[in-house]
Amino acid sequence: MANNTTSLYIDNLSIRLMTTRGKRITKLADMPLDVDLSQIDTPEVEAKLVEKIKYLFQSNHIGSKKIILGISGLRCLTRPIVLPELPKAMLEEAITREARRVLPVPVEQLYLSWQIMAASEGKIQAFIVGIPRQIADPVIKVVTEAGFKPYIMDIKPLALARLSRETSAIIVDVQPSEFDIIVLMKGMPQPIRTVPFSKETTSLRDRLVIVKDELQRTIQFFNTNNPENKIQSGASLLVSGEIVDESELFDYLGGDLGLKVTPLASPLKCLKQLDPSHHLVNVGLTLKELVSDASPITPNFNTLPLPYQPKQVSMNRLMAIPAIGIAVVMIALLAMTVQSAAANIDKAQNALDANVVVIEKKSAQKKELSNNIAAMESKLAALEASRTNYTGALNSLVSTGNKMNTDLTTTLNNAVTDLDISRMTLSADTISLSGSASGEQQVFQYVRKLTSTGRYDEITIGSIRSIPDSSENDSMAVSYALSIKLKGIGK
């Protein structure tokens, strides 16, 4: 049975919707949207966007709630990187450190995702994507409030690159407010550029002058940095967007650069009355589910930020699982010990009764039988002692597990307003946590609340430092780190 897929692409000018059944496009729809998605700062604007999304789905009779979401590549960052081969447990820290080095924006302002491309000769090749939080958060929020559940996300340049049938080519997409330039070399998109037009640039011809100039600079930059893999004359230039309807401008854009210009095409089937040429981003999003029909470009991973992916098991449950598992094992061992002891007791009692009869009948064997009875009673005492030890150990484990769970719950439940906990670790007797807050007072208030619970021996503020606030005002937020020593753990 063919799978149904729904993709939704949102940028500052429009919302574009597409549904497919298997490899066939069944519906295309779009709606104008004149709003800067990074400036959604009032409930009224949010409500209008939510209603527009709902109306677009309802008016086209689309009932699907699960969607593949696409956003513009504007202000998004991509890089191929090379690292020394490392254990899997160290990859996240190493990639984050490298992202701090190569990206021009602090990683704290981005949702960072990546894919390992290859590993050979002691090196790892990876591809990273950084999406600004101030762009991703409002888009995902309004889509979710409209009743839809994004389960995959991608940026427009990577979605368009997925349509290329060539591993080495240049893609140019021209829209009214922005344009994208993607250089594909051996299946790897590098570099990727999304450039906004100024509001004064209105005509397509004026915009193409800017596009052509940026295209020439991008090719020169790539050839300078990749002398062994230069873009040669006759390379393919695949175009999409507004220029598709102006074929007489193809030669203007690529002729002077020696490029062979052709329209970027959809590999999906559709009815004649449907024109997918202005929904190619949606096509690229859908191809994330149709890998066999996508282009041979290497990166293909989910850029949906981790906080918006399906929820994982809560921390309390994660902490409870080991304690419960240990308790179950201990109870099972105790039950086996008790059963064995009971069986041995019954056996000893039967032997004792038999010996009494033998003593009465054979007094000559009294000494030997008495020794047997003493040995059996000694074994019984040892079994009883073992049972007592196991019971004590079990009670201690249950008590410690309950206390640890209560300490973690207290730490989370006492968080104050405007303070986020982004990372928490638990050692033998210490909880270490870190995060961000709107100011130092929130951190101090949180420490006072934790202290007032009386559950901790000591609370140490490891660090408090200012960080830029992502809101519109000029205030400074802070990041912090706390070390909380637990009472009685390990004692």
Side-chain angles (χ1 to χ4, degrees):
M1 181 177 179
N3 293 328
N4 295 327
T5 303
T6 302
S7 62
L8 183 69
Y9 172 69
I10 302 178
D11 61 22
N12 291 338
L13 290 184
S14 65
I15 310 173
R16 301 179 192 179
L17 176 64
M18 186 179 84
T19 63
T20 60
R21 182 176 179 82
K23 301 178 182 180
R24 181 177 294 276
I25 299 172
T26 55
K27 287 185 180 179
L28 296 172
D30 59 81
M31 176 181 290
L33 181 68
D34 189 12
V35 61
D36 188 340
L37 296 175
S38 65
Q39 303 296 324
I40 303 174
D41 52 4
T42 66
E44 292 77 15
V45 175
E46 279 187 17
K48 288 181 181 179
L49 292 177
V50 168
E51 290 305 314
K52 283 192 174 186
I53 294 173
K54 286 182 177 179
Y55 177 78
L56 186 62
F57 276 79
Q58 291 170 358
S59 62
N60 287 278
H61 308 290
I62 299 173
S64 174
K65 297 297 182 183
K66 289 183 61 178
I67 63 169
I68 302 175
L69 179 62
I71 62 173
S72 167
L74 194 62
R75 285 181 275 181
C76 297
L77 302 170
T78 62
R79 291 290 189 281
I81 61 173
V82 178
L83 298 170
E85 195 164 357
L86 298 169
K88 187 175 181 180
M90 299 176 62
L91 275 178
E92 180 176 358
E93 180 181 353
I95 290 175
T96 302
R97 188 185 302 114
E98 182 67 6
R100 291 181 189 276
R101 189 183 70 82
V102 301
L103 298 182
V105 175
V107 296
E108 291 78 13
Q109 299 178 17
L110 305 171
Y111 286 119
L112 201 65
S113 54
W114 64 83
Q115 181 180 359
I116 302 301
M117 301 290 97
S120 62
E121 299 180 354
K123 294 184 179 180
I124 296 174
Q125 297 179 6
F127 189 85
I128 58 176
V129 174
I131 300 177
R133 291 173 180 261
Q134 70 177 86
I135 292 177
D137 286 337
V139 173
I140 298 175
K141 182 179 180 182
V142 296
V143 169
T144 303
E145 289 183 356
F148 302 97
K149 298 178 181 179
Y151 67 101
I152 297 176
M153 192 172 87
D154 210 349
I155 59 175
K156 181 175 74 170
L158 290 181
L160 292 174
R162 207 163 288 116
L163 300 179
S164 172
R165 309 314 299 174
E166 303 179 47
T167 58
S168 296
I170 304 173
I171 299 173
V172 172
D173 179 75
V174 182
Q175 300 297 331
S177 64
E178 65 187 33
F179 66 95
D180 296 271
I181 298 176
I182 307 110
V183 176
L184 285 174
M185 183 58 65
K186 297 182 179 179
M188 184 70 72
Q190 55 172 332
I192 291 175
R193 299 196 62 202
T194 301
V195 183
F197 290 116
S198 64
K199 293 183 179 180
E200 294 76 18
T201 310
T202 55
S203 72
L204 176 59
R205 290 183 178 272
D206 290 341
R207 278 179 277 142
L208 284 184
V209 173
I210 299 173
V211 174
K212 183 177 180 179
D213 185 52
E214 288 295 332
L215 176 60
Q216 185 173 7
R217 279 204 293 265
T218 300
I219 293 174
Q220 289 175 348
F221 172 82
F222 180 86
N223 287 344
T224 300
N225 289 276
N226 297 272
E228 72 286 356
N229 288 311
K230 288 186 176 182
I231 298 172
Q232 304 295 333
S233 177
S236 293
L237 176 61
L238 308 176
V239 296
S240 61
E242 290 188 309
I243 192 174
V244 170
D245 299 324
E246 306 289 342
S247 57
E248 67 276 8
L249 298 176
F250 286 6
D251 188 62
Y252 167 77
L253 188 61
D256 293 343
L257 301 175
L259 302 176
K260 181 179 64 177
V261 185
T262 56
L264 193 62
S266 166
L268 302 181
K269 301 176 182 178
C270 66
L271 299 175
K272 291 183 178 180
Q273 60 267 32
L274 297 179
D275 180 11
S277 62
H278 294 286
H279 288 75
L280 292 181
V281 179
N282 297 81
V283 175
L285 295 173
T286 301
L287 290 179
K288 292 183 75 67
E289 292 279 57
L290 301 173
V291 178
S292 60
D293 295 278
S295 75
I297 72 164
T298 305
N300 185 15
F301 55 101
N302 191 0
T303 63
L304 184 66
L306 188 61
Y308 298 105
Q309 293 185 14
K311 300 297 182 183
Q312 304 297 319
V313 179
S314 69
M315 183 174 294
N316 284 344
R317 292 185 179 180
L318 286 175
M319 293 302 301
I321 288 172
I324 292 173
I326 292 172
V328 169
V329 172
M330 295 300 295
I331 290 171
L333 290 174
L334 180 60
M336 293 172 61
T337 302
V338 170
Q339 289 176 356
S340 177
N344 287 336
I345 289 172
D346 290 341
K347 183 178 179 181
Q349 188 63 52
N350 292 335
L352 181 60
D353 292 341
N355 286 335
V356 169
V357 174
V358 172
I359 289 171
E360 293 176 350
K361 293 181 178 180
K362 300 180 180 181
S363 57
Q365 299 177 3
K366 180 179 178 180
K367 185 176 180 179
E368 181 181 355
L369 292 174
S370 297
N371 292 336
N372 289 339
I373 292 171
M376 291 179 182
E377 289 178 342
S378 176
K379 291 181 179 179
L380 177 60
L383 290 171
E384 290 291 353
S386 297
R387 182 176 65 177
T388 301
N389 291 337
Y390 281 124
T391 302
L394 173 62
N395 291 338
S396 176
L397 283 171
V398 171
S399 175
T400 300
N402 289 340
K403 185 176 188 309
M404 291 168 65
N405 287 340
T406 303
D407 287 335
L408 287 171
T409 301
T410 301
T411 304
L412 293 172
N413 289 348
N414 278 278
V416 301
T417 304
D418 295 329
L419 180 141
D420 293 326
I421 299 172
S422 60
R423 185 178 182 90
M424 178 182 290
T425 58
L426 175 65
S427 64
D429 62 350
T430 303
I431 297 175
S432 298
L433 57 84
S434 60
S436 60
S438 61
E440 293 181 350
Q441 292 303 319
Q442 280 66 31
V443 179
F444 296 145
Q445 182 183 359
Y446 181 42
V447 172
R448 288 195 293 270
K449 286 189 69 178
L450 293 178
T451 302
S452 67
T453 64
R455 294 201 59 83
Y456 311 106
D457 274 340
E458 181 178 86
I459 301 176
T460 303
I461 300 177
S463 65
I464 297 181
R465 63 185 183 87
S466 297
I467 59 174
D469 193 350
S470 61
S471 63
E472 290 294 321
N473 55 50
D474 295 327
S475 64
M476 295 295 288
V478 299
S479 65
Y480 68 90
L482 302 180
S483 176
I484 304 172
K485 188 173 182 181
L486 304 180
K487 281 187 176 181
I489 297 299
K491 295 182 179 179

